[in-house]
Amino acid sequence: MALLEVSVGVEDLVLLEPLVEESLLKNLQLRYENKEIYTYIGNVVISVNPYQQLPIYGPEFIAKYQDYTFYELKPHIYALANLAYQSLKNRDQDQCILITGESGAGKTEASKLVMSYVAAVCGKEEQVNSVKEQLLQSNPVLEAFGNAKTIRNINSSRFGKYMDIEFDFKGAPLGGVITNYLLEKSRVVKQLKGERNFHIFYQLLAGADAQLLKALKLEQDISGYAYLNQEVSRVDGMDDASNFRAVQNAMIVIGFSEEEIQQVLEVIALVLKLGNVKLADEFQANGTPASGIHDGQGIREIGEIAGLNAEELERALCTRTMETNKEKVVTALNVIQAQYARDALAKNIYSRLFNWIVNRINESIKVGTGEKKKVMGVLDIYGFEILENNSFEQFMINYCNEKLQQVFIELTLKEEQEEYNREGIPWTKVDYFDNNVICNLIEHNQRGILALLDEECLRPGVVSDSTFLAKLNQVFSKHGYYESKVTQNAQRQYDHTMGLSCFRICHYAGKVTYIVTSFIDKNNDLLFRDLSQTMWRARHPLLHSLFPEGDPRQTSLKRPMTVGAQFKNSVAVLMKNLYSKNPNYIRCIKPNEHQQQGQFSSNLVEVQVRYLGLLENVRVRRAGYAYRQGYRSFLERYRLLSRSTWPRWNGGDREGVEKVMGELSVASEELAFGKTKIFIRSPKTLFYLEEQRRLRLQQLATLIQKVYRGWRCRMYYQQMRRSQILISSWFRGNMQKKRYGRIKASVLLIQAFVRGWKIRKDYRKYFRSVAALLLSDFIYKSMVQKFLLGLKKNMPSTKVLDNTWPPAPYKCFNTANRELRQLFYQWKCKKFRDQLSPKQVEVLKEKLCASELFKDKKASYAQSVPIPFRGDYIGLQGNPKLQKLKGGEEGPVLVAETVKKVNRGNGKTSSRILLLTKGHVILTDTKKSQAKTVVGLDSVAGVSVTSLRDGLFSLHLSEISSLGSKGDFLLISGHVIELLTKMYQAVLDATQRQLPITVTENFSVRFKESSVAVKVVQGPGGGEDGKLSCKKKGSRRLEVTVQ
């Protein structure tokens, strides 16, 4: 445990007091309710499934457990994984981690945690990361194809898996080998109520896109497939669609090609569609029952996927060819036989596909034969099962669990005895249940159940499940761990739960009743040769490779090995593998039957504790001594309890431990000193040591706090003292520096005055008194001369727009420099004006006037600046009629252009020709060329114009004029800047007054005796084009929109 960490209950059951079943269960329940799901029995980890995600996993906890030994932190699966990995890496011992427990106890999750821990703590090189990723990604692939929802577990492993992870001498993973055991292939064609088929079928239908489903000739609706349980299509907490994408990505990481993934999915689709093949009764010509395909569409689609002819596939499903050495006989199958053949084909295809996937993964993660390697095995195999109806699959699963229990018992006792022998400690034998008798009942070569089953399968004559049961009753009539209806009747026992077609075995986990129905068929697992040969002829590459025995050149009349015999051999190899490695155990316990978090069923856990032999395991650990630890680690933990060993000990580890225990006055019968370890008999002694250590830690913590506080106060005082000395030193030094500076300045001032007085005295004595004035005047004139000559060399250009000017070399010339710059600029401007013609001067004056009137006021002003004022925009010189309009005394026409006059009554516009002379504004019709309106400039009272880009302006007339009664003019000009500028100058010349020009968007226009309010607004286009639209709003309002 951590240094001062508070534990819940007893973390190691070896230390439990009193050691009875009730206290063990209460301790597990107490820890479970406080979310402490792991408990130790020595180096065995008990894991109680929490059915929820706990915040005790991830990189932070992996790093934490990596840095501590097994007992230093709270019990955790990471601690066991670290112990196994460090033993493999540092002691060069091959390891295996055995994860056992019944279905739903959390074995699969435990194996994932072990794998993730080992992957996290080993090397970080790029190649190592690639191998780790492949090993980790094998889990989701195997889960998809080998796991299913059962009534006890939503992700139950329906196959056994043993993975050997191989490491180099540095502890970095090189690769691995996966061995699978007895896939429950009967699930492919039939599931119990409340259970599902293998995950991959549901993941494919939920996660595949429309294009993929079309290519596989599938539909997303699960109800359309006979092999899928319609009642349980979805599982809470499981996203089949996202899991399908995860499986595809994992297969790519492992090394599957796109073609291989597609072929695997095609085989899965073929199995699904086989279940939809409907068989109908038919009769041959002689009246013999036969069968045929009811719906040809399904069989044709299967043929297209497999690359087979539909008629050939139908013939293989509905007939059987019997071969002898002399002849071939083709017999028709009735509907029941044909359905059996169809289901057998589906099961065989799926089972062989699963084996192919495992082998393909092994090809990707295998290690070269030349490399020296260490091995860590992880066993995740199906748990002990006691169902309502137990068949051949449950019999084989429970047989495997019996063998694993046997390994646990033998290796636990053996390791305990070997440790006592190595350390020279006397060994006291502990009685325990030896399940060897049950293993022999099942696997004995001549008189075992498996041997009798194989014998019955191979026996000529009428063979059935009933004859097999009769043989079992005959052979095991007096066996203490075998029961049936016949043996019970012979012993005059009555048990209504025992059926006539059943037998019962008293397993280590409890009594299990098996129904012998289909034992013979499932053990034979026969696939008609016609189907094998047909699948071998398939053009589908993967499907073809799954049936090598279908090759006519390799046809053998020898009967294949039964399923039971194959599994027995596989288990034997597994046991041999486990015995060759150092075992590490994880015993998984299911707390309740409903998979609910926080629920702890004492009765259910009690059954599991009994058949897992946890109490016996604790007793074995405590038989001699309950606790043992190496001298170095023991001394490191408890040396603070002795003044001789604390704080330093320079002697040997064993001598140090003897010193500690001697000073604590622990009874000699409570201790035993081995060669490398100390052994403690009673948990009370260990509790006493822990209590003394806790008190000593508090004393040491108080001492450390006292020393630290004293040290901190001394350091603070010394720091304050040094600071005060430093501040005083700096202050005194600064004061002296300032005083010295003042004295020095005073001395220098006195010296300067004295020297000056002496020099002046000597100067008046030897030189003229006006020499200084002459000298200063000469120096000043030289500076002026230098300044003017420099200005002459650096004179800027004569361009009017060039404002550069060299700076004055001395501040005393700044005023003169500014005056010279102003004179030079004025001279440049005069020179520029002298070069202009009178016409150019007039144009510039007009532009200057326009700038004063409209700059920063009218939006269209900026566009008018570079454009010269033309005045004539209608070709006045070529139109004598218009020339007559101006009169002879008016002089030249200042502006002649076409304008639009806005009707103040309805807002409509009409074109007019406007002539501006020095005395009048003349408006005339564009067609008749006759003066329509003549306005004297003295009658123009003002002009209103907008700030936008439009050409609208209002000509306001004085009321006393002859035209004043008619009202003002509202005009639109394309050259409004030029027109109003020249009108302003003409009014100024003619009347010696300034024409008021108002820039506004709201103004009033007089109309006879009333007035019209004009409002100018900017349209959605921003007014860039300057186009106008006028709209009358009522009788006294006109709205003008600038587009």
Side-chain angles (χ1 to χ4, degrees):
M1 68 185 78
L3 195 63
L4 294 172
E5 203 168 40
V6 178
S7 62
V8 178
V10 179
E11 295 182 343
D12 192 339
L13 295 179
V14 173
L15 308 177
L16 184 65
E17 286 288 347
L19 182 56
V20 293
E21 190 175 83
E22 182 181 359
S23 62
L24 189 150
L25 290 172
K26 286 184 177 179
N27 187 68
L28 290 178
Q29 182 172 3
L30 175 64
R31 292 179 59 76
Y32 179 77
E33 289 172 350
N34 286 273
K35 297 184 179 179
E36 298 286 350
I37 63 171
Y38 297 115
T39 308
Y40 290 152
I41 301 178
N43 59 354
V44 175
V45 175
I46 301 173
S47 172
V48 185
N49 195 341
Y51 295 116
Q52 61 178 313
Q53 288 293 331
L54 297 178
I56 58 174
Y57 307 106
E60 178 185 352
F61 285 89
I62 290 175
K64 184 178 178 182
Y65 279 86
Q66 186 181 0
D67 296 333
Y68 289 88
T69 57
F70 189 75
Y71 291 103
E72 287 186 288
L73 297 175
K74 288 183 178 182
H76 202 291
I77 199 169
Y78 285 164
L80 182 74
N82 184 61
L83 178 65
Y85 178 71
Q86 296 301 331
S87 298
L88 175 137
K89 180 180 177 182
N90 300 328
R91 301 179 186 175
D92 201 19
Q93 293 180 344
D94 287 349
Q95 304 288 317
C96 65
I97 298 177
L98 306 181
I99 307 172
T100 58
E102 68 176 69
S103 179
K107 300 184 299 300
T108 301
E109 290 302 317
S111 69
K112 289 181 187 177
L113 291 172
V114 171
M115 293 281 290
S116 63
Y117 180 86
V118 173
V121 299
C122 54
K124 305 294 183 183
E125 295 84 0
E126 182 177 352
Q127 182 179 0
V128 172
N129 287 333
S130 175
V131 173
K132 290 193 297 187
E133 193 65 22
Q134 288 182 332
L135 290 172
L136 291 175
Q137 291 300 327
S138 65
N139 278 326
V141 176
L142 294 179
E143 282 187 19
F145 288 88
N147 287 24
K149 181 197 178 301
T150 65
I151 56 177
R152 295 188 173 191
N153 188 1
I154 65 171
N155 189 30
S156 176
S157 297
R158 308 318 298 161
F159 71 105
K161 179 182 72 173
Y162 177 74
M163 174 183 284
D164 268 335
I165 309 172
E166 300 175 351
F167 300 84
D168 62 11
F169 69 96
K170 297 180 294 184
L174 299 171
V177 178
I178 298 174
T179 306
N180 63 300
Y181 301 95
L182 193 67
L183 177 73
E184 188 191 19
K185 57 186 177 183
S186 61
R187 181 171 295 274
V188 174
V189 299
K190 185 178 180 182
Q191 305 92 43
L192 297 177
K193 184 177 180 180
E195 297 190 350
R196 293 206 315 176
N197 209 324
F198 292 102
H199 292 324
I200 187 61
F201 294 110
Y202 304 91
Q203 292 173 0
L204 174 60
L205 296 178
D209 54 31
Q211 182 179 358
L212 178 57
L213 289 176
K214 184 178 180 181
L216 299 177
K217 306 184 186 304
L218 296 175
E219 296 179 358
Q220 201 167 30
D221 186 11
I222 293 175
S223 62
Y225 301 98
Y227 280 166
L228 301 184
N229 194 339
Q230 314 301 323
E231 298 176 356
V232 192
S233 60
R234 297 182 181 276
V235 178
D236 293 338
M238 186 176 291
D239 188 348
D240 290 325
S242 64
N243 288 343
F244 179 69
R245 292 188 290 272
V247 169
Q248 287 181 307
N249 295 332
M251 294 177 77
I252 292 173
V253 171
I254 293 170
F256 284 77
S257 65
E258 294 289 343
E259 293 77 11
E260 288 174 328
I261 296 175
Q262 182 67 22
Q263 290 172 15
V264 168
L265 297 180
E266 288 172 351
V267 173
I268 294 295
L270 187 145
V271 173
L272 274 177
K273 299 193 77 64
L274 267 177
N276 291 348
V277 173
K278 296 182 180 179
L279 298 159
D281 285 315
E282 292 183 1
F283 294 93
Q284 294 180 311
N286 59 2
T288 305
S291 59
I293 303 298
H294 182 266
D295 181 13
Q297 177 63 26
I299 203 72
R300 281 193 298 272
E301 290 181 351
I302 295 173
E304 291 174 9
I305 295 174
L308 287 168
N309 185 279
E311 290 76 13
E312 182 181 10
L313 188 57
E314 181 177 1
R315 185 166 56 254
L317 286 172
C318 298
T319 62
R320 181 182 181 185
T321 302
M322 306 290 291
E323 292 189 29
T324 63
N325 292 331
K326 298 181 179 180
E327 60 180 344
K328 290 184 179 181
V329 179
V330 179
T331 59
L333 302 178
N334 59 34
V335 171
I336 296 176
Q337 293 171 331
Q339 289 174 347
Y340 173 85
R342 177 200 62 192
D343 293 345
L345 177 61
K347 291 187 292 185
N348 269 272
I349 290 175
Y350 191 83
S351 175
R352 295 178 188 216
L353 173 65
F354 185 77
N355 292 335
W356 179 88
I357 290 173
V358 173
N359 293 331
R360 180 65 183 80
I361 294 174
N362 285 336
E363 287 180 13
S364 296
I365 63 176
K366 67 181 178 181
V367 183
T369 55
E371 299 185 58
K372 185 179 179 181
K373 47 190 178 291
K374 308 172 186 179
V375 179
M376 177 187 289
V378 179
L379 178 65
D380 173 19
I381 206 159
Y382 14 59
F384 197 90
E385 291 190 351
I386 306 177
L387 306 179
E388 186 175 342
N389 296 313
N390 301 287
S391 186
F392 179 75
E393 291 83 6
Q394 282 69 44
F395 176 74
M396 303 305 290
I397 288 171
N398 295 341
Y399 160 59
C400 181
N401 279 272
E402 284 285 354
K403 294 296 290 182
L404 291 175
Q405 179 69 5
Q406 186 181 38
V407 171
F408 175 73
I409 293 172
E410 290 185 5
L411 290 181
T412 302
L413 292 177
K414 181 180 178 182
E415 176 63 26
E416 192 81 9
Q417 187 171 1
E418 285 182 354
E419 184 171 24
Y420 284 133
N421 291 336
R422 284 195 305 269
E423 298 292 331
I425 305 298
W427 165 253
T428 303
K429 185 177 180 181
V430 177
D431 293 331
Y432 61 93
F433 172 70
D434 187 357
N435 70 336
N436 188 53
V437 61
I438 302 176
C439 294
N440 285 334
L441 170 66
I442 298 173
E443 67 178 4
H444 192 275
N445 288 335
Q446 284 81 33
R447 297 177 59 82
I449 294 177
L450 289 176
L452 295 176
L453 180 60
D454 287 350
E455 181 182 324
E456 193 69 12
C457 290
L458 298 175
R459 183 174 63 83
V462 178
V463 177
S464 67
D465 298 316
S466 300
T467 60
F468 166 61
L469 181 59
K471 180 171 288 190
L472 293 182
N473 293 332
Q474 179 185 352
V475 175
F476 303 117
S477 59
K478 297 182 180 181
H479 199 288
Y481 293 90
Y482 175 86
E483 296 178 8
S484 70
K485 199 71 174 177
V486 173
T487 61
Q488 287 179 347
N489 290 338
Q491 298 174 7
R492 298 186 179 182
Q493 297 176 355
Y494 177 72
D495 185 358
H496 68 279
T497 62
M498 179 71 74
L500 293 174
S501 60
C502 300
F503 69 92
R504 180 179 295 156
I505 296 178
C506 299
H507 288 283
Y508 77 95
K511 295 182 178 181
V512 182
T513 303
Y514 298 100
I515 302 174
V516 296
T517 306
S518 300
F519 259 59
I520 299 293
D521 289 340
K522 291 179 179 179
N523 189 47
N524 280 324
D525 192 29
L526 292 178
L527 182 68
F528 297 152
R529 187 177 292 110
D530 303 70
L531 292 171
S532 297
Q533 293 177 349
T534 302
M535 292 299 104
W536 182 82
R537 289 193 294 270
R539 291 187 295 276
H540 191 278
L542 177 55
L543 190 62
H544 170 81
S545 67
L546 297 180
F547 293 87
E549 78 277 8
D551 187 351
R553 294 169 294 181
Q554 299 181 8
T555 301
S556 173
L557 299 179
K558 184 179 178 181
R559 192 179 185 94
M561 187 179 291
T562 62
V563 172
Q566 292 178 25
F567 188 67
K568 178 182 174 182
N569 294 339
S570 299
V571 170
V573 173
L574 175 63
M575 296 301 113
K576 183 179 179 181
N577 202 344
L578 297 180
Y579 280 121
S580 67
K581 296 179 174 62
N582 182 54
N584 302 272
Y585 298 99
I586 302 173
R587 312 288 266 177
C588 297
I589 291 179
K590 182 166 64 173
N592 61 77
E593 290 283 8
H594 310 292
Q595 303 175 23
Q596 295 293 321
Q597 63 185 40
Q599 291 186 10
F600 189 91
S601 174
S602 298
N603 294 333
L604 177 63
V605 176
E606 180 182 1
V607 173
Q608 296 174 77
V609 166
R610 286 178 180 174
Y611 74 66
L612 288 174
L614 299 186
L615 202 58
E616 289 80 0
N617 191 11
V618 177
R619 286 172 179 158
V620 167
R621 292 288 294 181
R622 293 177 57 169
Y625 296 90
Y627 182 78
R628 77 287 318 271
Q629 193 170 16
Y631 288 126
R632 179 179 294 276
S633 56
F634 186 89
L635 182 62
E636 186 66 28
R637 185 169 182 83
Y638 297 109
R639 66 190 179 95
L640 51 84
L641 299 179
S642 170
R643 295 183 181 275
S644 302
T645 57
W646 180 262
R648 291 184 182 84
W649 172 251
N650 298 322
D653 294 333
R654 176 168 178 166
E655 290 78 7
V657 173
E658 289 175 347
K659 281 279 187 184
V660 172
M661 303 309 290
E663 291 188 18
L664 290 174
S665 301
V666 179
S668 58
E669 61 270 13
E670 285 291 315
L671 303 174
F673 294 94
K675 296 176 182 178
T676 62
K677 295 181 180 180
I678 180 175
F679 292 79
I680 299 175
R681 184 179 298 278
S682 172
K684 293 180 179 179
T685 304
L686 186 64
F687 291 151
Y688 170 73
L689 289 175
E690 285 294 321
E691 180 64 17
Q692 292 299 313
R693 182 175 182 272
R694 185 183 67 80
L695 295 174
R696 181 60 175 158
L697 282 174
Q698 290 180 354
Q699 294 174 1
L700 291 176
T702 304
L703 177 62
I704 292 170
Q705 289 175 350
K706 181 183 72 172
V707 173
Y708 171 73
R709 291 191 185 105
W711 171 84
R712 189 174 62 178
C713 290
R714 284 193 299 275
M715 292 300 295
Y716 179 72
Y717 166 74
Q718 291 174 3
Q719 186 179 12
M720 292 294 292
R721 185 171 180 271
R722 286 195 298 269
S723 300
Q724 188 272 333
I725 293 172
L726 182 63
I727 292 171
S728 300
S729 173
W730 275 93
F731 178 76
R732 288 193 294 269
N734 189 49
M735 292 293 292
Q736 291 300 322
K737 287 177 183 178
K738 288 183 177 180
R739 184 169 176 270
Y740 169 75
R742 289 194 297 270
I743 293 173
K744 183 178 179 181
S746 301
V747 170
L748 291 176
L749 182 62
I750 293 170
Q751 289 176 349
F753 273 104
V754 171
R755 292 191 189 100
W757 173 76
K758 290 177 68 177
I759 292 297
R760 286 193 296 275
K761 183 179 178 181
D762 293 340
Y763 170 75
R764 285 194 297 269
K765 184 176 180 181
Y766 296 106
F767 299 98
R768 291 178 298 173
S769 59
V770 296
L773 295 175
L774 293 174
L775 186 60
S776 63
D777 183 59
F778 172 77
I779 293 172
Y780 182 74
K781 288 180 179 178
S782 299
M783 291 170 61
V784 172
Q785 184 181 17
K786 183 179 179 181
F787 165 59
L788 294 176
L789 290 175
L791 189 61
K792 176 183 178 183
K793 292 178 182 178
N794 298 322
M795 189 67 70
S797 67
T798 58
K799 295 181 180 179
V800 178
L801 298 179
D802 185 4
N803 290 325
T804 60
W805 187 258
Y810 305 106
K811 290 183 178 180
C812 59
F813 297 142
N814 283 344
T815 304
N817 195 44
R818 286 195 297 271
E819 293 295 333
L820 290 173
R821 179 180 181 181
Q822 185 67 23
L823 288 172
F824 180 74
Y825 183 72
Q826 291 176 356
W827 173 79
K828 282 197 301 183
C829 292
K830 181 179 183 304
K831 187 176 179 182
F832 175 75
R833 288 195 300 270
D834 293 344
Q835 293 174 355
L836 297 176
S837 64
K839 187 175 182 180
Q840 290 176 321
V841 172
E842 193 65 29
V843 170
L844 286 177
K845 286 182 178 179
E846 291 177 348
K847 288 290 184 180
L848 178 61
C849 181
S851 174
E852 294 173 349
L853 292 174
F854 299 109
K855 184 177 181 181
D856 299 327
K857 298 178 182 179
K858 180 77 173 166
S860 59
Y861 167 73
Q863 296 177 347
S864 70
V865 172
I867 301 173
F869 293 164
R870 286 166 47 193
D872 184 7
Y873 294 96
I874 59 174
L876 186 63
Q877 298 299 328
N879 196 334
K881 293 182 179 180
L882 293 176
Q883 290 180 4
K884 293 179 181 178
L885 293 175
K886 68 182 182 68
E889 301 177 356
E890 292 293 333
V893 176
L894 301 178
V895 177
E897 69 162 330
T898 302
V899 298
K900 292 183 179 180
K901 179 176 177 296
V902 180
N903 192 316
R904 293 159 299 184
N906 54 19
K908 294 183 179 180
T909 60
S910 56
S911 295
R912 296 285 189 273
I913 293 175
L914 185 145
L915 301 178
L916 175 63
T917 65
K918 291 186 177 182
H920 296 86
V921 177
I922 303 170
L923 291 174
T924 182
D925 195 296
T926 55
K927 298 179 180 180
K928 299 180 180 180
S929 298
Q930 295 179 356
K932 202 165 187 181
T933 305
V934 178
V935 180
L937 293 180
D938 55 348
S939 301
V940 178
V943 176
S944 294
V945 65
T946 72
S947 63
L948 306 177
R949 294 181 180 275
D950 61 296
L952 180 71
F953 69 95
S954 173
L955 203 61
H956 301 291
L957 303 181
S958 60
E959 297 181 3
I960 59 175
S961 65
S962 58
L963 296 173
S965 59
K966 293 183 178 180
D968 301 335
F969 290 94
L970 193 59
L971 304 173
I972 301 173
S973 170
H975 308 88
V976 67
I977 300 295
E978 180 182 354
L979 175 60
L980 296 182
T981 300
K982 291 188 176 182
M983 186 182 294
Y984 177 86
Q985 291 179 330
V987 170
L988 184 62
D989 293 340
T991 64
Q992 302 301 314
R993 66 181 177 88
Q994 294 182 347
L995 177 65
I997 298 179
T998 304
V999 180
T1000 179
E1001 275 71 54
N1002 297 283
F1003 53 87
S1004 179
V1005 180
R1006 287 191 304 105
F1007 181 40
K1008 295 183 179 179
E1009 295 181 356
S1010 62
S1011 63
V1012 176
V1014 179
K1015 182 179 180 181
V1016 182
V1017 296
Q1018 187 169 286
E1024 294 294 331
D1025 297 335
K1027 296 181 180 179
L1028 300 175
S1029 63
C1030 303
K1031 187 176 181 182
K1032 192 68 179 293
K1033 300 254 180 158
S1035 60
R1036 299 198 175 193
R1037 188 178 170 195
L1038 180 65
E1039 185 175 283
V1040 181
T1041 303
V1042 181
Q1043 302 296 334

